Amino acid sequence: MDESGRPQPGSGTTDDHQAARPGPTPPPHASVNGAARANSVPHTPRDPEEPPHKEHPEDTTPADQGDTPDTAAGSDPFTKHTPAGGDDTAPPAQDPVSQGDTPPTRTPATSGRRPTKAPEPRGGLLMGRPFGVPVYVAPSWFLVAALITWVFGGQLDHVLPGLGAVRYLVSLFFAVAFYASVLVHELAHTVAALRFKLPVRRIQLQFFGGVSEIEKESESPGREFVLAFVGPLLSLVLAGVFYLGMLAVEPGTVPGVLLAGLMISNLIVAAFNLLPGLPLDGGRMLRAIVWKITGKPMSGTVAAAWVGRALAITVLIGLPLLTQSGALGEGAADVSGMDTVTDALLAAILAAIIWTGAGNSLRMARLREHLPELRARTLTRRAVPVESATPLSEALRRANEAGARALVIVDADGEPRSLVREAAIVGVPEHRRPWVAVSGLAHDLTDGMRVSAELAGEELLDTLRATPATEYLVVEESGAIYGVLSAADVERAFVKAMARPS
């Protein structure tokens, strides 16, 4: 089942697609298309060797969007606390990075630790990389495989009583073959996404299906519809293939029973995913249709998400009633190997997955709606260039006069070499600042820490996530220094934007 968790709806029956994010990390998006990316603001964990600056209550990072600090005599631009966006009523947020910065006299600029790229997220046991996309099997899959083996084995005891204990080996083969069908469903979404130049982070097979984490949003409702539809279409094609195979073998044999079971299971997967509610593939198709009619992707998401929630309630109430009433066929309860309690539990799990996926789709749509508000140019702090031997007190005096709130260490030719960390500055007592060189408070500037002033939205977040750091040098297209961007400022601006109603 495809359950989407991507930055917008996803599909889900036996599979899903996901998507990722600053501050809060967007949930994965389930089977279909769509951005499954984690739009999280880069965050550098604290070095255990570096003590937190608890003795300095001013050790927080102002998250203004270009506001200029007070430049009155004696004021320190690095200890002012202006909330994101210059809203004086909002409480200053604690800078998660400043808690672990290097103490003032410890690390010279030339020996700073280089930021490391965030590790690729894993999702269980790596099975391969078809089309360059890693496929993982989650631990929960082994639980559902065991359940399918036990239930299907019980059915085989009635259909093929002569098998004996071998029926469980046949049932295990069915479980693996069924999830191979789910993988084909997910690969259909993946191939379509790659065809549309949408990066796919990974595919994960889990308890109730699969998840294709597509990291970008579809650019048009037509592509959204195609990305959602190819999954159920492939499941229908597989059902047809298994039906033709069933005609070629003798009924009542092991191959005949296996082919019949795979045909029916793929029909169920396709039919369930075509239901018109998020996070299912049918919900993404509905979203694309409403998007096309209204011209607003958010309107499509809202409509499909509420249909998904209604579908969740219908499954919760209707599935146990259908099974026990025999409306699904004579002896439906016996064939499924479930009693009333099991039916109700299964319905509750499915309903919870659909309801949660629909809610996640709404949240991710809202996130994407606000992402364009995050612009490097408006969030960047003004910076002044200083040489490595400059005393901290002199550097702060220059910054104060210029109305700047960041320091960039440059060489004799004026080329930027390192950034002075704000948290390290506030950790130096004022009486020591004339004797502390700024080079002892800086970290090396790597290529990944140079960002363009024109970056905004997802592109900005992608760039920051690729090289986690506390501060970044912002440059113009010409290469000229524009200022310094703090990851904490981006995070606070994101949280504030998300707090506003759509």
Side-chain angles (χ1 to χ4, degrees), residues 41 60-67 82-85 93 95-96 374 378-381 405 422 464 470-471 484-496:
V41 167
T60 54
T61 301
D64 65 294
Q65 297 184 20
D67 49 307
T82 305
D95 184 348
L374 302 180
T378 57
L379 292 171
T380 296
R381 303 175 178 187
R405 295 178 51 220
E422 179 186 17
L464 303 191
T470 59
E471 289 97 4
V484 172
L485 177 66
S486 168
D489 287 354
V490 178
E491 184 170 357
R492 270 190 290 273
F494 172 84
V495 171
K496 185 176 181 180

Side-chain angles (χ1 to χ4, degrees), residues 6 8 32-34 196 198 217-230 281-301:
R6 101 184 174 157
Q8 297 212 324
V32 234
N33 47 330
F196 292 141
L198 301 177
E217 183 66 13
S218 302
E219 297 177 356
S220 67
R223 290 188 173 187
E224 174 84 349
F225 188 92
V226 171
L227 281 170
F229 181 62
V230 291
D281 288 325
R284 301 205 62 79
M285 294 162 63
L286 174 62
R287 173 181 180 268
I289 293 172
V290 177
W291 178 3
K292 180 67 175 179
I293 294 173
T294 64
K296 299 177 180 179
M298 187 64 181
S299 298
T301 300

Side-chain angles (χ1 to χ4, degrees), residues 228-416:
F229 181 62
V230 291
L233 177 62
L234 253 292
S235 294
L236 289 173
V237 170
L238 285 176
V241 170
F242 290 130
Y243 174 73
L244 293 177
M246 189 174 63
L247 296 179
V249 301
E250 184 179 349
T253 62
V254 170
V257 172
L258 285 176
L259 289 169
L262 290 172
M263 179 196 69
I264 294 173
S265 62
N266 276 277
L267 284 175
I268 293 175
V269 168
F272 190 84
N273 274 282
L274 286 173
L275 292 175
L278 289 173
L280 306 177
D281 288 325
R284 301 205 62 79
M285 294 162 63
L286 174 62
R287 173 181 180 268
I289 293 172
V290 177
W291 178 3
K292 180 67 175 179
I293 294 173
T294 64
K296 299 177 180 179
M298 187 64 181
S299 298
T301 300
V302 171
W306 279 105
V307 172
R309 287 175 170 173
L311 180 63
I313 295 175
T314 302
V315 169
L316 179 63
I317 299 174
L319 184 59
L321 294 178
L322 285 175
T323 304
Q324 295 305 316
S325 66
L328 298 179
E330 291 185 11
D334 294 334
V335 171
S336 64
M338 304 180 193
D339 55 17
T340 304
V341 175
T342 306
D343 290 341
L345 179 61
L346 176 62
I349 293 174
L350 289 175
I353 291 174
I354 297 172
W355 182 279
T356 302
N360 287 342
S361 298
L362 282 174
R363 282 190 291 274
M364 299 316 301
R366 183 178 173 190
L367 178 153
R368 290 187 174 280
E369 194 175 47
H370 288 302
L371 277 184
E373 300 174 20
L374 302 180
R375 308 187 63 84
R377 189 173 292 278
T378 57
L379 292 171
T380 296
R381 303 175 178 187
R382 184 181 304 175
V384 294
V386 295
E387 295 183 352
S388 60
T390 305
L392 178 57
S393 59
E394 171 60 17
L396 293 179
R397 184 192 67 77
R398 296 181 192 177
N400 191 39
E401 289 182 351
R405 295 178 51 220
L407 299 173
V408 178
I409 295 180
V410 298
D411 59 16
D413 298 325
E415 288 295 319

Side-chain angles (χ1 to χ4, degrees), residues 119 132 158 164 193 197 215 227 239 370 421 499:
H158 298 290
K197 309 287 191 226
E215 299 191 354
L227 281 170
H370 288 302
R421 292 185 286 188

